[in-house]
Amino acid sequence: MAIPKTTKTNYSGISYYNDSSKGKVFLATFTINRKKYRKIVGYEHDEFKTNAKIAFLKKEEIKDKIQNNTYIKKDLTFKQLWELYLDHLINSKSVVQKTLTNKISVYNCHFKKNFDNLRINTIQTFNIQLFANELYKTKSPKSVDNYLADLSALWTFAIKHKITTNNPVLLVDKQKYDNTREYPLDFEESKRLFKTIINFKEPLYKQIFTFLLHGRRMNEVLSLTWDMIDLEKRTYSIGFEINKAKRNMTYEITDELYDIFINIENKTGYIFKSLVTGEKIKNLRWAWNRILKEAGISKNMRIHDLRHLIGEISLNETDNSMEVVAAILGHSSTRPTRRYAKVQQKVAAQGLKKVFDTLK
């Protein structure tokens, strides 16, 4: 029977239509795993004297039952659990695309061949410990730690949805490691590298690496689009989708950056476009090698170390405080208020100017 036109209530997913004998007929509408459900959940004249609030509570109870039955139909294999988990991540948009791509790659390279056909409730800490021990032979402890973190997140998802009751990853013995890295250049080498970048003869890469000297991460710079730039207010914003802090960050446009932005003719799409495809630039390695060669730097200096260069010079060669360095590099503040954010922009710009003046 076709359902008559309904009237919305103040409760999410609950509407009703009028029936001559049943009174208001309450209808619940909801979606689970991309499947839409529409169910009658009560009548105004039934034994419960259903109203909109009672209908809403019934809807939530039905949703829980459907979700539980969906997930506990059988003892899932690792592959089946992974597919549910991946579907959840995609639908909830709880991770950015780059992170999602990394998770899929780790699954295909490492998890699939080791766990795919095993039942989730048969996988024990012992199995995962053997997996980790084998990886330690060829991978760094940090990489193995990341893989185990991905596995742990998968089991946390399973526990949340009552697929299993414990997380065997938590009891795995991990190798300890020191993830700190010493900044490789002395002051004179840092000055030489700085001057090479700001005077580099290849305009596109001069612009990109000058931006990187402002303490930004490579993906932040390469993902920047013109809608993130406000030349009138002289600010640019790094959205939470592309920064590590996972929150929107705004910075002042320095004189160096203003000269770059104002002289770029095509102010649409990505700010820095590939000279070959016109799309987002994916690799800076060869340009970086040319810069290092021109600067006479033979030490192991990564692109990411430009952030360390700014921090190192800021702390050791200027009177900038740790708080100023944190502002320059975009580290999370303990005072993330709107008012403090404005102060942080000014502090970062002033601190960065001191660093540039010192290196020049």
Side-chain angles (χ1 to χ4, degrees):
M1 183 185 73
I3 295 175
K5 185 177 180 180
T6 60
T7 302
K8 289 183 178 180
T9 70
N10 292 329
Y11 290 86
S12 174
I14 300 297
S15 59
Y16 70 89
Y17 63 90
N18 290 306
D19 182 89
S20 57
S21 61
K22 298 174 182 176
K24 291 180 178 178
V25 179
F26 290 94
L27 192 70
T29 306
F30 53 90
T31 301
I32 296 176
N33 289 337
R34 292 183 286 186
K35 181 178 179 181
K36 189 172 183 178
Y37 293 82
R38 204 175 190 204
K39 292 181 177 291
I40 292 174
V41 290
Y43 313 99
E44 187 178 14
H45 298 156
D46 63 19
E47 60 181 313
F48 303 106
K49 298 189 181 301
T50 299
N51 56 25
K53 181 177 181 180
I54 293 173
F56 176 77
L57 295 174
K58 286 183 177 180
K59 181 200 77 168
E60 293 300 301
E61 184 179 349
I62 292 170
K63 279 180 65 177
D64 285 342
K65 286 181 179 178
I66 292 175
Q67 286 175 321
N68 289 338
N69 288 336
T70 299
Y71 290 131
I72 316 178
K73 283 180 180 177
K74 54 186 177 179
D75 186 13
L76 298 180
T77 63
F78 183 93
K79 179 181 179 181
Q80 291 168 329
L81 174 61
W82 170 260
E83 289 171 349
L84 282 175
Y85 176 59
L86 189 63
D87 191 54
H88 160 73
L89 293 180
I90 294 170
N91 289 330
S92 65
K93 298 180 181 178
S94 57
V95 297
V96 297
Q97 184 58 47
K98 182 179 179 182
T99 302
L100 193 62
T101 301
N102 287 341
K103 284 181 178 289
I104 293 171
S105 176
V106 170
Y107 166 77
N108 288 328
C109 293
H110 301 291
F111 299 161
K112 187 175 182 178
K113 61 184 178 182
N114 287 281
F115 303 115
D116 235 19
N117 297 320
L118 298 179
R119 299 285 175 184
I120 284 300
N121 288 310
T122 66
I123 300 175
Q124 303 297 318
T125 299
F126 175 74
N127 303 104
I128 301 173
Q129 186 71 65
L130 289 177
F131 166 72
N133 291 347
E134 194 62 29
L135 284 175
Y136 282 130
K137 296 176 182 179
T138 56
K139 301 289 182 181
S140 70
K142 173 61 176 173
S143 295
V144 178
D145 207 13
N146 289 338
Y147 300 155
L148 292 175
D150 282 338
L151 276 180
S152 186
L154 180 66
W155 255 275
T156 299
F157 170 82
I159 292 170
K160 179 180 178 181
H161 295 288
K162 301 180 181 178
I163 299 168
T164 190
T165 57
N166 70 299
N167 186 343
V169 185
L170 298 179
L171 298 178
V172 170
D173 293 325
K174 303 175 185 177
Q175 290 185 8
K176 294 182 179 180
Y177 62 93
D178 183 0
N179 198 39
T180 59
R181 172 182 164 90
E182 293 293 327
Y183 176 68
L185 305 185
D186 60 33
F187 180 56
E188 290 304 319
E189 290 170 326
S190 297
K191 286 177 65 175
R192 201 162 67 238
L193 178 59
F194 177 87
K195 290 177 180 178
T196 299
I197 289 173
I198 63 174
N199 295 306
F200 198 49
K201 301 301 182 184
E202 300 176 41
L204 175 62
Y205 296 114
K206 172 185 175 179
Q207 294 167 353
I208 292 172
F209 283 96
T210 297
F211 207 146
L212 289 170
L213 284 171
H214 286 68
R216 304 287 68 80
R217 294 177 174 86
M218 181 169 64
N219 185 58
E220 295 172 354
V221 173
L222 297 184
S223 299
L224 208 64
T225 53
W226 281 103
D227 59 332
M228 302 176 188
I229 304 295
D230 191 328
L231 289 175
E232 186 176 340
K233 293 182 180 178
R234 290 189 63 133
T235 61
Y236 67 93
S237 299
I238 305 289
F240 71 92
E241 306 94 337
I242 60 173
N243 71 41
K244 198 172 180 179
K246 301 304 179 190
R247 61 186 177 88
N248 295 329
M249 309 283 281
T250 302
Y251 302 90
E252 284 193 9
I253 294 176
T254 63
D255 291 341
E256 289 81 2
L257 288 182
Y258 189 81
D259 287 342
I260 289 173
F261 295 147
I262 206 68
N263 288 306
I264 295 177
E265 293 184 6
N266 182 5
K267 292 182 171 57
T268 60
Y270 290 110
I271 292 175
F272 304 114
K273 302 176 182 67
S274 168
L275 297 175
V276 177
T277 66
E279 300 297 325
K280 180 179 177 180
I281 295 171
K282 297 180 179 179
N283 195 334
L284 295 176
R285 183 177 56 179
W286 302 115
W288 177 238
N289 287 340
R290 291 195 296 273
I291 288 172
L292 291 178
K293 183 177 180 180
E294 187 171 320
I297 304 295
S298 58
K299 294 178 180 177
N300 180 21
M301 179 76 176
R302 308 168 306 176
I303 295 175
H304 188 75
D305 286 329
L306 289 176
R307 280 173 58 84
H308 300 161
L309 182 154
I310 298 303
E312 187 83 8
I313 301 302
S314 190
L315 287 175
N316 296 328
E317 305 295 337
T318 75
D319 59 358
N320 285 337
S321 65
M322 288 290 291
E323 288 75 15
V324 172
V325 176
I328 294 172
L329 298 181
H331 291 160
S332 296
S333 167
T334 57
R335 295 182 291 167
T337 63
R338 186 180 297 271
R339 179 183 177 192
Y340 178 70
K342 287 289 185 183
V343 175
Q344 190 180 43
Q345 291 174 31
K346 186 66 66 178
V347 166
Q350 292 171 347
L352 193 59
K353 185 178 185 305
K354 289 181 181 178
V355 174
F356 278 26
D357 289 344
T358 299
L359 289 168
K360 288 177 181 178

